[in-house]
Amino acid sequence: MTPMATDVLPDEKPLRYGRRARAFTAMEEHDLDVLVLGRGANVRYVCGARGLWNAGTHGFAPVCAVVRSTRQVYLLSTWDEGIPEEIPHEHMLGITWNPMNYLTWLRDIEGSATAGRVGFDSISPLFAQLLPAAFPAAEIVDGEDAIQAARLVKTPEEVVAIRGSLSIVEQALASALSDLRPGVEERALTGVFMEAMASLGVTTPSTQDVVTITSSRDRTAPKGQEAVRAGDLVAFTAGVLDGGYAGEVARTWPVGGGDEIAKYRDAFDEWDELWSHLIQACRPGASGGDFFAAYRAANVAVPSLPIVRGVGLGYDLPIVVADLPATAAGQRVASGMTLAVTGIVDSPHGRVIAQEVVLVTDGEPEILTTSPFWTHQFQGAKRQ
Amino acid sequence: MIGHMTASTIPDQPDLARMRRDRHARLQKGMSDHGVDAMILIGNANVCYAGGASWPYGDSGRANIERPVAVVVSGDEHPHLYTPFREDAAAQLDLPEDHLHGPVYLDFDEGVEAFGRLLTELVPHKATVAVDDVTGAMARNRDRLFSSWPPPGVEPIIGHARLLKTPDELACTRKASKITAAAMAEVQKALVPGVRQTQLTARFLRHIFDLGAEANILDPIWQVMPDRREDLPWTTHGDVPCPLLTTERQLAAGDVLWVDTAVSYAGYHSDFGRTWIVGQDPSPRQEAQYQKWKAINDAVLAEVRPGVNAARLTAAARNLCDGESPWMPHFYLSHGIGVETAEMPFIGTDLGEEFDESIVLAPGMIIIIEPIIWDEGAGGYRSENIYSVTEDGWILVSDDYPYDPYGN
């Protein structure tokens, strides 16, 4: 157990400085003098401060600016609780509703006047019109590529953080599983998961779409309100954010026993076969396309959902999804990546979905998730 | 557009199909008024409003990538929805099949290229296409989507549409508020010395899902307010900081909590604010803070009716405070709520008096009133309630949640 966190603290120094070093390297490689960030995970990556969690996407506003020449970080924050010491009060802008205040703030940063290339991680029409004036000498370009490149490979401290987050999500998943029985509604299981997560000290989920009955039968209630029946197949796709880091896991469990669930054995066996191919692609040098090949080798149809995505502060590259074949082919797996790899098997009886988080190393890939599978009991030992 | 609305015309159950039709009609009118041929909407709240779907929102990191996108074409009877949750949307919506699509991935060049091709099937070359936000990949491939840069924003259209709520929208906000209040009642029962802030969150999350919330929207705030300003963190403006974040801090008898939570129902948010005291009744001085808060709330409310400009609301609050503004400088006296927890109208912000004067109250507008009382040496008090402007005044939209342990 980690000690209780009773103060709002910045991320640990090695975590902050390790990430920022990667961000500055990416700025050099992408020839960016200033990087202006609005997306929460990007801001956390370079600032090391916890923000207030709000579900869903947020419209663009400049929340953080990083200057390559001075190595200084500027942050939108009205108070200094939990703000790292290397971001002094003079670098902070209080919450404001007047867009012109953002312009003045960015313009007055040391290095803005002479910046030649300034990257934004996203932009809105209003700020696209307004903010170039803060950088009179600069070409305004996309900066999301650079920050994504920085986030691609994890520092050792980040891997520790991800392990911690996985420990929370797997304990909370176990709690939800212990309440899986006929009669319980999907949303009630989601509530059990969330309650367990917060009881473990983490109040922020990465997804709130946690529980779905996936057996092939007609649904009788709106999403979330369907009650579990004996003989159902139930998928848990859970995620938490601890210290900003996503811990995610998915498992599918049948409900009941005996003959009514024996029909699912084939689909779970197919999943095991699929996994044996997928894990082979979690090696340095493999391409995103190798994960499609793993599905083909197992004779399983590639699903429409992403089958690989990076986990870190939220959602990282690489991404492997059927709709983006060229993107997948152009990405290479590298040591130090943490991948959420998803196997999905659609059988006539229902869908089996399970996801592991894998740390790519120079040797064998390390599976960081440890949640049990239904089929382990038949195998006498843990898979692999 | 709203018609005559009285308290009785907020339906118990929202008619979601009617709500979607009404919203779409407003957007079509706005697009026609502003000469916009199509809108690309990628922000969750705008997609929910225009595309008609609602879903449990994820963390922004994931929501940025696996996000539904809506395209509204001028003159079209329905919006186009591109969504990774296609089956859920199909069950939820009455969209024709040729308007309900699989996902698009606007964070990737390949995804934007594919989306650009889809767009050319919907709108002619050189059409005026407005957008709410632009990803890095959209910016890199701007020529595939927009005929000018920067493209026109959608705020004059969708912001305007979202400003005045239909009775069905108000019914959704009320549903979300009732779920929140019922969950908070369970949390308040657990408010005893020794409980941790995160345990209050645990209880809250458990109950909102049981009660039918679509999602939690805000990491719940249980901010402990000290007696003196100097015991709070530094701020840019010197005034009180809020909201400060939740930890595993253990609460002690007498701790004053500023509480703030929000959930969603059919895409519509609640916003719950109260002040609680752990294991104690308020002192006479604390009770007086609440009474002062209530006097300000009532004075502001007395100004709420159609045709009034919003500066009258801030003036009413200041009149009871020797000209000082009884709210935090980084926020406002009032804000609206709908598919976002804080949306227009914002009243009392740093945009200033002139901006407030430009806001004229109208039926269907939501006004959340949230003054704060800071009483140096004895902490402070804050609560908030959701009201809607009616034809002849206002009605309470949020639940009539008690002010315990104050006000007894």
Side-chain angles (χ1 to χ4, degrees), chain B residues 11 44 60 75 83 128 140 151 170 189 193 202 214 216 233 239 249-250 263 307 313 352 364 388 395:
Chain B
N44 284 176
S60 62
T83 174
T128 301
R140 289 195 297 271
L170 294 175
K189 284 181 201 160
E214 190 162 63
N216 182 43
D239 214 315
R249 175 174 178 164
Q250 214 165 4
V263 311
L313 275 54
S388 173
I395 47 168

Side-chain angles (χ1 to χ4, degrees), chain B residues 60 80 87 106 121 133 140 166 242 249 336 339 343 390 406:
Chain B
S60 62
H80 285 268
E87 280 174 28
L106 299 185
E121 294 168 14
D133 254 322
R140 289 195 297 271
T166 69
C242 180
R249 175 174 178 164
V339 290
E343 59 183 42
T390 61
Y406 298 84

